[in-house]
Structures are given as structure tokens and as C-alpha cells.
């Protein structure tokens, strides 16, 4: 089984079409951001599958 890719916040922001870092961290405060993993050095990572699921849940017309 392939390992799930861990994305940096910068990679996620680029994929979301240039959402600002400030907006992303605001979403985290509001608990509406995709689930993140905090590494021992304090950096955040987002699993590819978590980001894809988060995007699917926000699609217009999603059931």
C-alpha cells in the first residue's frame, strides 16, 4: 500500500488557488480547515487524502 503524501501548508495554499496563509490559519481557528498533523518541530502537514476529502465535502451540490 502506498504511503499517503504529506503536504506542506504552502503546497496546500497553492493547490487551493492562492488562498492566503492568514486565511488558512483562520480556518484552523474556526475548525473548518482540513485536518492537520503537527510535527515535532511545530510545522504542519496535511495528508493528501484528508485534503481531497475536505475538498469533496465542500463541492457545490455535495450530498
Amino acid at each position: 500500500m502506498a504511503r499517503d503524501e504529506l503536504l506542506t501548508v504552502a503546497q496546500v495554499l497553492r493547490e487551493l488557488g492562492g488562498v492566503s496563509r492568514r486565511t488558512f490559519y483562520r480556518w484552523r481557528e474556526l475548525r473548518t480547515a482540513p485536518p492537520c498533523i503537527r510535527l515535532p518541530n511545530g510545522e504542519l502537514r496535511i495528508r493528501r487524502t484528508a485534503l481531497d476529502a475536505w475538498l469533496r465535502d465542500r463541492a457545490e451540490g455535495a450530498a
Side-chain angles (χ1 to χ4, degrees):
M1 183 173 171
R3 290 174 47 111
D4 198 3
E5 181 181 11
L6 293 178
L7 304 170
T8 65
V9 171
Q11 289 172 309
V12 170
L13 297 179
R14 277 193 304 276
E15 231 179 273
L16 295 176
V19 170
S20 75
R21 185 172 291 269
R22 179 180 178 143
T23 296
F24 181 82
Y25 281 97
R26 180 69 177 143
W27 290 346
R28 280 188 42 84
E29 288 175 16
L30 297 171
R31 300 191 179 280
T32 59
C36 298
I37 299 166
R38 184 169 301 280
L39 300 177
N41 65 0
E43 292 184 13
L44 296 176
R45 294 291 184 273
I46 300 90
R47 290 186 192 278
R48 161 63 63 196
T49 53
L51 178 62
D52 291 344
W54 183 82
L55 288 170
R56 267 192 312 277
D57 290 347
R58 278 147 189 79
E60 291 284 324

